[in-house]
Amino acid sequence: MPERLLVVNYRLFTPGPVEVSEEVLEEHGKRFPYHRDRSFAEVVGRVTEDLKKILFTDARIFFFTSSGTGGMEAALVNLFSEGDEVLVTSIGKFGQRWKELADTFRLKVTYLPFEFGQSVDPAMVDDALRANPLIKAVLSTFTETSTGAKNDVKTMGEIVGRHDKIFVLDSIAGLIADELRMDAWNVDVAIGGSQKAIGAPPGLAAVVINDRAWKLAENSTLPKYYFNMQIAEKFRQKGFTPWTPAITVMMSLATTIKKFKERGIENVWADHAHWASFFREKAGTMGFSFLPRNPSNALSAIKMPDGVESTPIIAEIKEKEGILFANGQAELKGKLIRFGHMGHANEQDTLTALRVLEHHALPKIKEAQ
Amino acid sequence: MPERLLVVNYRLFTPGPVEVSEEVLEEHGKRFPYHRDRSFAEVVGRVTEDLKKILFTDARIFFFTSSGTGGMEAALVNLFSEGDEVLVTSIGKFGQRWKELADTFRLKVTYLPFEFGQSVDPAMVDDALRANPLIKAVLSTFTETSTGAKNDVKTMGEIVGRHDKIFVLDSIAGLIADELRMDAWNVDVAIGGSQKAIGAPPGLAAVVINDRAWKLAENSTLPKYYFNMQIAEKFRQKGFTPWTPAITVMMSLATTIKKFKERGIENVWADHAHWASFFREKAGTMGFSFLPRNPSNALSAIKMPDGVESTPIIAEIKEKEGILFANGQAELKGKLIRFGHMGHANEQDTLTALRVLEHHALPKIKEAQ
């Protein structure tokens, strides 16, 4: 056996991609079926049915070989036509991404940004929809990975539904970790990614789209090919994807989703809620503080006090402990340490994170105070 | 260890995705690095340098998490603006895909289709470019997977270069198997896929783009986001991709490309040429005939005589021998048995393919004659 190209001797405590379990990695590294063989369609069918149960929906599901951003683009280019009016809410980098996507594809955007760490004020969504009846859809974020904040999707869904608009939700980071009930909460389109709490390697995005939203999709005139759902629909009905998919990621997804189904999704949410709360309570007692006011159970974002940079702390923990936390992104770089509860919603990893942060981060924070 | 979801007990003799070696699968199933860590940038850097050597180019390389079709779309939406004139050649399904893509994104297409099994007549490319000086670029296919035919890219490149146009080549299937020298042959843009002769699982496309083509890319106004190379360029310079990539596929790619580099790309071409010729000579002697006139070394496409359907033969071989050959696609379904030399350019697999076809396919063909 030749030497490995790169020895990865650190663990991912990042909020996606997550550290993948041995069992899922083993499936990932096995011989895989042909993407036009019935055996593969059976796997896709199983993942689809399990995902629908997890999301409490009977909507159709498309899989795209892409990152989550590809799934967001797929939703957008399939629902809309040039000049369509949309309301975009943003509470961080991924909300901004909706705006960038909508601007790129020449939609007319009503933009509702909130400060980093805040969540969307649902009343302002109500106001914006009342102010402009031409708005067709609301594009929003479930869990904002850049800040760790969660939106009140249930209340937002009531409002969007009352206005009879389409509700499109980037639920990439929150999926599995935070409670989400698509049909009951009026979420028409949800986007997920394989590498987040769902616990597979990166490579696949899922776009879940109900019949109300599908009507928009049937009339959309934005140009699309790779992400075209009308092409994909013909293949979906046979359990396939139009283009060669990331087969090994789908196999991993089937393995990990099977486990969540067996555990029961309510229990999976509860696990994340328990260990996220436990982590924040203990860390808070130690002297850490957190950015978001309404935090997601998918991740925790520790805020650095003025004068403390997170970058060298994260580097030190990686070097000394073999554990990689995530930094803040863009304007938040150096200002955050982010820890994903995705895949780490268990006692051992939570205690490890606390121990490591207490040892390497806390002294610097205390010093600055 | 829980039972596997699906036991894949057949081998892929399909022309992509290919059967992946044990060594590469092992890499694929290992813990992987974070996509924003320097360790990952090192892997991307190594794959990039190795690919450039293999393609005899110093062009820049972008990796997109997508199928090969995503790579084709990336090339197209980054090079052109609405109404731009392009010449599209087609010798099968993947040539048609260029036309569908170009039509979708509202380019003006001069379409030069050839019969299935034929290759492009380079003189007709010359004529078409002479007839319409407004054409900016030629979109063509290196190895047409649907028919097994190879184009004379060297001669086409001379012509395209003489007319000072941009030459965009879908080289997804041919890469590694057929000789290709990008810079010397005036190929400005080439697209590759991880799951073909290069021998990794599906999930990544590579778009190789030289400075001449990059000038077009800097002026393109077609809307794009996920595939936007101007966004990707900023990340590329640091060895990253803008969105979370299929990390495990990149790790596999690094492993397989390292092997090709060690073997020497000229030897890799020679291996494919040798075993593809050997296969076709032996099979021809047995009584099989082939669709393409100028075949690629990446695959062989056996033509069924009238009255013989390939579909049940392929199913029988899968069931009885545990080996999956590929059928024809679309209008060629039931009319072909396709065998990929990609990853099978060795004595054992070639002899196995011959034995199996002799036993299961030949009697039916003889019967019909």
Side-chain angles (χ1 to χ4, degrees), chain A residues 13-46:
Chain A
F13 273 31
T14 45
V18 300
E19 185 88 7
V20 169
S21 74
E22 286 299 323
E23 186 189 318
V24 174
L25 279 178
E26 200 184 311
E27 181 66 42
H28 197 63
K30 280 190 176 149
R31 285 168 61 197
F32 50 83
Y34 187 55
H35 65 298
R36 297 288 177 236
D37 192 65
R38 289 307 312 161
S39 57
F40 185 65
E42 278 168 33
V43 173
V44 176
R46 197 169 337 187

Side-chain angles (χ1 to χ4, degrees), chain B residues 160-289:
Chain B
V160 178
R162 206 188 313 132
H163 286 274
D164 200 23
K165 308 301 183 188
I166 297 292
F167 191 16
V168 184
L169 193 66
D170 158 11
S171 54
I172 294 162
L175 210 71
I176 298 282
D178 292 311
E179 182 177 357
L180 176 62
R181 296 174 187 271
M182 275 190 75
D183 292 358
W185 293 5
N186 292 327
V187 176
D188 299 295
V189 181
I191 299 126
S194 57
Q195 80 282 15
K196 296 288 186 174
I198 218 158
L204 280 181
V207 181
V208 190
I209 174 164
N210 70 13
D211 287 343
R212 285 185 74 224
W214 189 249
K215 284 199 191 97
L216 278 194
E218 284 172 337
N219 295 307
S220 153
T221 61
L222 279 177
K224 60 252 174 192
Y225 191 87
Y226 183 71
F227 291 124
N228 189 319
M229 287 183 189
Q230 306 304 323
I231 299 176
E233 174 63 11
K234 289 175 204 139
F235 288 85
R236 190 192 68 84
Q237 289 179 3
K238 299 178 206 154
F240 295 135
T241 56
W243 331 120
T244 313
I247 302 172
T248 54
V249 181
M250 186 64 82
M251 301 306 290
S252 303
L253 214 51
T255 309
T256 178
I257 286 185
K258 186 164 174 269
K259 286 207 89 166
F260 290 126
K261 201 184 64 174
E262 281 160 10
R263 173 91 180 110
I265 187 63
E266 281 96 342
N267 294 324
V268 175
W269 296 335
D271 293 342
H272 283 84
H274 175 74
W275 291 111
S277 303
F278 179 90
F279 175 78
R280 292 193 279 255
E281 198 191 303
K282 297 290 180 199
T285 309
M286 282 181 199
F288 288 104
S289 59

Side-chain angles (χ1 to χ4, degrees), chain A residues 47 110 148 194 230 273 279 340 345:
Chain A
V47 173
T110 302
S194 56
Q230 305 305 322
F279 174 79

Side-chain angles (χ1 to χ4, degrees), chain A residues 4 27 73 100 225-226, chain B residues 4 27 73 100 225-226:
Chain A
R4 203 185 174 192
E27 181 66 42
E73 175 163 323
E100 289 165 15
Y225 191 87
Y226 182 70
Chain B
R4 203 187 174 190
E27 181 66 41
E73 176 164 321
E100 288 164 16
Y225 191 87
Y226 183 71

Side-chain angles (χ1 to χ4, degrees), chain A residues 22 25 53 72 115 118 120 124 138 140 169 223 229 246 257 267 302 340 353:
Chain A
E22 286 299 323
L25 279 178
K53 283 195 193 94
M72 291 169 74
E115 239 177 84
Q118 300 297 309
V120 169
M124 290 181 68
V138 177
S140 192
L169 193 67
M229 286 184 188
I257 286 186
N267 293 325
I302 299 172

Side-chain angles (χ1 to χ4, degrees), chain A residues 1-6 8-12 14-20 22-23 25-40 42-43 46 65-71 73 82 93 96-97 100-101 104-106 195-196 200-204 221-228 231 235 242-249 251 253-256 258 318 322 324-327 338, chain B residues 1-6 8-12 14-20 22-23 25-40 42-43 46 65-71 73 82 93 96-97 100-101 104-106 195-196 200-204 221-228 231 235 242-249 251 253-256 258 318 322 324-327 338:
Chain A
M1 197 54 54
E3 52 161 348
R4 203 185 174 192
L5 281 158
L6 167 76
V8 179
N9 56 4
Y10 54 87
R11 297 192 67 209
L12 297 179
T14 45
V18 300
E19 185 88 7
V20 169
E22 286 299 323
E23 186 189 318
L25 279 178
E26 200 184 311
E27 181 66 42
H28 197 63
K30 280 190 176 149
R31 285 168 61 197
F32 50 83
Y34 187 55
H35 65 298
R36 297 288 177 236
D37 192 65
R38 289 307 312 161
S39 57
F40 185 65
E42 278 168 33
V43 173
R46 197 169 337 187
T65 297
S66 74
S67 74
T69 300
E73 175 163 323
E82 199 174 319
K93 188 181 160 175
Q96 290 171 348
R97 187 157 297 173
E100 289 165 15
L101 273 160
T104 298
F105 292 98
R106 297 162 190 160
Q195 80 282 14
K196 294 289 188 175
L204 279 181
T221 60
L222 280 177
K224 59 252 175 192
Y225 191 87
Y226 182 70
F227 289 124
N228 189 318
I231 300 176
F235 288 85
W243 332 119
T244 312
I247 302 172
T248 53
V249 182
M251 302 306 289
L253 216 49
T255 309
T256 178
K258 186 164 173 272
K318 183 188 161 193
L324 188 62
F325 289 90
N327 207 323
R338 292 178 303 142
Chain B
M1 195 55 53
E3 52 162 348
R4 203 187 174 190
L5 282 158
L6 166 79
V8 179
N9 56 3
Y10 54 87
R11 296 193 67 208
L12 297 179
T14 45
V18 299
E19 184 87 6
V20 168
E22 286 299 323
E23 187 188 320
L25 279 179
E26 200 182 312
E27 181 66 41
H28 197 63
K30 281 189 177 150
R31 284 167 60 196
F32 49 83
Y34 187 54
H35 65 297
R36 296 287 179 237
D37 192 65
R38 289 307 312 162
S39 58
F40 185 65
E42 278 169 33
V43 173
R46 199 170 333 190
T65 296
S66 74
S67 75
T69 299
E73 176 164 321
E82 199 174 319
K93 187 182 159 174
Q96 290 171 346
R97 186 157 298 173
E100 288 164 16
L101 272 161
T104 297
F105 292 98
R106 298 163 191 159
Q195 80 282 15
K196 296 288 186 174
L204 280 181
T221 61
L222 279 177
K224 60 252 174 192
Y225 191 87
Y226 183 71
F227 291 124
N228 189 319
I231 299 176
F235 288 85
W243 331 120
T244 313
I247 302 172
T248 54
V249 181
M251 301 306 290
L253 214 51
T255 309
T256 178
K258 186 164 174 269
K318 183 187 163 194
L324 188 62
F325 288 91
N327 207 322
R338 292 178 303 143

